[in-house]
Amino acid sequence: MKLFSQLIASWTLLAGAALAAGQAPGDKLWSFATDQSIQSSPAIAADGTIYFGNDAGMITALNREGGLKWEYKTGGSIA
């Protein structure tokens, strides 16, 4: 199982996620596990939603807290 955590956490910080008391920039805020390889770069919306695709052709949307918003199966791999 691939872990897409530190990279997403870093992008979340860059997207302006609010830090809780006692957290420093660069702290890992959350992780999201996926069993598919991720080759695509993430896209971050103004509301903090993070979108990325994987080799199985799934587009995933996560909220700024790292929770799954939705997934959509496309017709092929997303690089």
Side-chain angles (χ1 to χ4, degrees):
M1 182 180 286
K2 303 275 185 193
L3 192 57
F4 192 62
S5 60
Q6 292 177 338
L7 204 48
I8 288 289
S10 297
W11 286 315
T12 302
L13 288 171
L14 292 174
L19 293 174
Q23 289 181 314
D27 282 355
K28 181 172 155 181
L29 300 178
W30 50 264
S31 64
F32 181 81
T34 178
D35 59 356
Q36 298 295 326
S37 178
I38 298 170
Q39 304 297 322
S40 71
S41 297
I44 305 172
D47 69 355
T49 300
I50 301 169
Y51 303 92
F52 62 92
N54 67 27
D55 288 350
M58 188 74 69
I59 296 175
T60 302
L62 304 176
N63 63 34
R64 67 176 56 232
E65 290 81 27
L68 180 65
K69 289 181 86 169
W70 53 261
E71 289 183 310
Y72 177 79
K73 180 75 172 161
T74 67
S77 178
I78 302 167

